[in-house]
Amino acid sequence: VALLAFEDLMDVTKGAEQVSRIATVLEGKQDMTVIPPEDIECMYLSTFANAPFPNNTNRDVNGAAPRDDYDFTLTQMQHIATTLQNMHTKYSTGIWVNDPIAVDLAQYLERYYNETQDEIYWMIANPGPPTAAPLANYTQELVQWYVSLGRGNRYNKDKVQALASYWPNVRHLYEDAETLAANPYEGVVTKPYAETSHEPPFVVDP
């Protein structure tokens, strides 16, 4: 098993070392051919130099939306920082102290916590305008996005209504312009899960 950070993989000064971690995990596995360790850095740098297209690190599927379009509120950032801090504490103490994967994970969590804190400080020092209300079609766009993942019927209205304590919190998502009876997922043809594409986590475990 190997754990690595996307940021390091895309950093030309650190990427080769990240690829070496992957190679170490894959070496000796069935149907896997791994180049010699001394060639990895050359291969990595050559791949960057000869890439036919520029790197696309945007989160939008089509690369059309810049990363800045996905802003978080100050409250959300504070929640993220708290979660990162709690996770770092968990994986840097107790039974995880001598676990090599946990050590790497704790280092990444600490890095992300510090970066998040820096952004929080910047947001406090440079307050922006209040968060705008969602557009009129925002809810439907969320529905269509969920459908595009192949999960449009997962939360069928009848199923959700049966969850008495949960239904009041999400009832508005099933609203129509005129009636609460409309189900935005009804009649939608969705793609099978196997046909959808998802960015894999950067954990290598063959």
Side-chain angles (χ1 to χ4, degrees), residues 123-174:
M123 293 173 73
I124 292 174
N126 301 274
T131 303
L135 299 175
N137 62 343
Y138 178 69
T139 298
Q140 188 60 31
E141 288 180 355
L142 289 180
V143 171
Q144 292 304 318
W145 171 77
Y146 205 66
V147 167
S148 73
L149 299 181
R151 303 183 181 185
N153 292 320
R154 184 178 183 183
Y155 295 108
N156 176 273
K157 181 183 176 183
D158 293 336
K159 294 179 182 178
V160 179
Q161 277 185 311
L163 305 174
S165 61
Y166 180 65
W167 171 248
N169 297 319
V170 297
R171 182 175 179 173
H172 65 284
L173 296 176
Y174 293 81

Side-chain angles (χ1 to χ4, degrees), residues 66-166:
R67 183 176 299 184
D68 292 344
D69 281 2
Y70 298 88
D71 289 336
F72 292 102
T73 65
L74 178 59
T75 299
Q76 290 171 331
M77 291 295 293
Q78 290 169 332
H79 280 300
I80 292 172
T82 298
T83 299
L84 289 170
Q85 187 176 43
N86 291 340
M87 294 295 288
H88 176 266
T89 299
K90 175 180 178 178
Y91 288 107
S92 60
T93 58
I95 62 173
W96 302 105
V97 170
N98 296 316
D99 186 298
I101 299 299
V103 170
D104 286 342
L105 178 58
Q107 291 176 347
Y108 293 139
L109 290 169
E110 182 178 15
R111 180 206 299 183
Y112 295 146
Y113 171 79
N114 290 334
E115 292 176 355
T116 302
Q117 282 295 101
D118 288 343
E119 191 163 347
I120 287 173
Y121 295 146
W122 186 92
M123 293 173 73
I124 292 174
N126 301 274
T131 303
L135 299 175
N137 62 343
Y138 178 69
T139 298
Q140 188 60 31
E141 288 180 355
L142 289 180
V143 171
Q144 292 304 318
W145 171 77
Y146 205 66
V147 167
S148 73
L149 299 181
R151 303 183 181 185
N153 292 320
R154 184 178 183 183
Y155 295 108
N156 176 273
K157 181 183 176 183
D158 293 336
K159 294 179 182 178
V160 179
Q161 277 185 311
L163 305 174
S165 61
Y166 180 65

